Each structure stands twice: as structure tokens, then as C-alpha cells.
Amino acid sequence: MHPHASSLRAEANRRHILDVALAELLRSPDASMNQIALAAGLSRRTVYGHFPNRDALIAAIIGGAIEAVEQAHTAGREGVTDPAEALARSLLAVWEVVDRYRLLLSLAQQSLTMEGIRDRLGAVHGAGTQLIQRALEEGKFSSPLPAEGLRYVLEGVLFSVMEATNNGHVRPEEAGRATTVTLLCAAGMPHARAAALVARILDE
């Protein structure tokens, strides 16, 4: 086989393993490497060739989630001049990604530190803090916290809602809207204005 064809096959296998592993882990968080290999229709040797252990596989899935969050955050705020609206749009876009992965939160907490996940979201954090700073300066947000401190609070709320949704306290179909409105309110935007902004975006 041509070396290039071989590397393409390997990359296709890797993507296939990650897709199947995500589906299997969402269905059964205790799924073993053997179960994942079986579901992927690949030998254990092939799966272990890409991922030496289960933690490495979970770390790769979380890495894919982080990349998807970065892309969604960028796409959501692109071309939007109002900082509060840009943040709302980016949060709604991010929730769509997060919603796909949120059931893996407990696995991520076991295999990676939350600090490690936060460290890898540096670009998102920087952009988010800038939007919050502008919204504070323009009077759209109001908080006793500085922009960076407020970003920490909003991120904490986002993770909390993920857990609350996982535990059945928030309906998944309402979580994106409710989370975004909650975050805007936590940043000091009046509830009626936050709800109207999110409704307008979702109705487009």
C-alpha cells in the first residue's frame, strides 16, 4: 500500500474509533476498550495502536470537544458588533457542542483535571473576557467583579448547568436558552432584556 494511503487509512480509523467511543461512552460511561473495539468493528490491537489506554482515548475525545468549542465560540460571535449579543450568540453556539459532550463531564473530571480543560480553552477565555470587558464599559453588563473574575463565574455556571442537566434538573431541550439567559443575568443584564435578546437570536 502507498504510504500516503496507509496514513489516510490510519487517520480514518482514528476518527472512526473516536466517533464510536463517544457514542459508546454516552450510552455506557463504563464502556471498556474491548467494547469500543467491538462496536467499531476493529481489532483490539488496532484500537490500542491509536490509544494506549482508556484515559488516552477519553483525553482525545475531550480534546476534540475543546476544538469544537473554540470553533463554535468564534463562529457565534463573528461579525457581531454588540458585545452582549456577541457573547449570547457564542454561548448558544457553544452549548450546542457542550450538549453533545456533557454526559462525558464526569469522565473528563476523572481522567483530566478541570484546570487542565480550562488551560486548553485559553483562546476562548481571552475572547470571552474581551467581550465581557466591552459590555461592562458600554453599560450592557453590570458587575462588582472585573471582567476576568466575571468570566470565571460564568464558566462555573456553565459547568454547573451541564451537571444539573445530566442529573435531570434541567430539561435538555431548554438548557441552551436557559443557560444563556442565566449567564447574561449573572453578568448584570436585566432578565427581561436577556430573555428578549436570546429569543430574538433563536427565532432567526
Side-chain angles (χ1 to χ4, degrees):
M1 188 185 287
H2 191 275
H4 182 59
S6 177
S7 66
L8 284 177
R9 167 77 60 82
E11 182 53 35
N13 274 347
R14 185 177 188 278
R15 279 201 308 272
H16 178 58
I17 293 164
L18 288 172
D19 287 344
V20 170
L22 175 60
E24 287 298 304
L25 289 165
L26 289 177
R27 198 170 54 78
S28 171
D30 297 324
S32 67
M33 292 287 273
N34 288 353
Q35 285 171 270
I36 290 164
L38 193 64
L42 296 168
S43 68
R44 286 178 54 195
R45 185 162 169 249
T46 300
V47 173
Y48 278 104
H50 289 280
F51 305 101
N53 53 50
R54 195 167 171 276
D55 275 358
L57 179 57
I58 291 168
I61 291 171
I62 301 302
I66 288 168
E67 282 178 28
V69 163
E70 287 176 341
Q71 289 166 6
H73 196 276
T74 301
R77 67 178 189 273
E78 201 166 14
V80 182
T81 52
D82 179 81
E85 182 176 340
L87 192 68
R89 286 181 180 277
S90 66
L91 286 167
L92 286 166
V94 163
W95 183 266
E96 284 189 33
V97 174
V98 161
D99 192 43
R100 185 178 178 222
Y101 291 94
R102 64 182 162 76
L103 291 170
L104 296 181
L105 188 61
S106 59
L107 288 175
Q109 288 166 330
Q110 289 164 23
S111 64
L112 300 165
T113 64
M114 294 310 286
E115 198 60 42
I117 291 174
R118 288 191 173 98
D119 286 347
R120 292 177 64 181
L121 284 168
V124 168
H125 290 159
T129 301
Q130 283 184 335
L131 289 176
I132 292 167
Q133 181 65 47
R134 280 181 49 214
L136 288 168
E137 288 169 359
E138 294 176 18
K140 305 275 172 58
F141 290 172
S142 174
S143 174
L145 296 170
E148 181 68 8
L150 184 52
R151 182 193 60 73
Y152 267 85
V153 170
L154 299 185
E155 186 174 278
V157 172
L158 182 65
F159 279 118
S160 295
V161 178
M162 286 167 68
E163 288 191 25
T165 307
N166 286 349
N167 292 331
H169 303 303
V170 179
R171 290 171 59 188
E173 59 272 24
E174 294 176 1
R177 179 193 59 79
T179 302
T180 306
V181 173
T182 300
L183 290 169
L184 293 172
C185 290
M189 183 178 274
H191 179 268
R193 194 178 300 165
L197 172 59
V198 173
R200 177 167 63 77
I201 294 168
L202 291 175
D203 285 345
E204 286 176 356

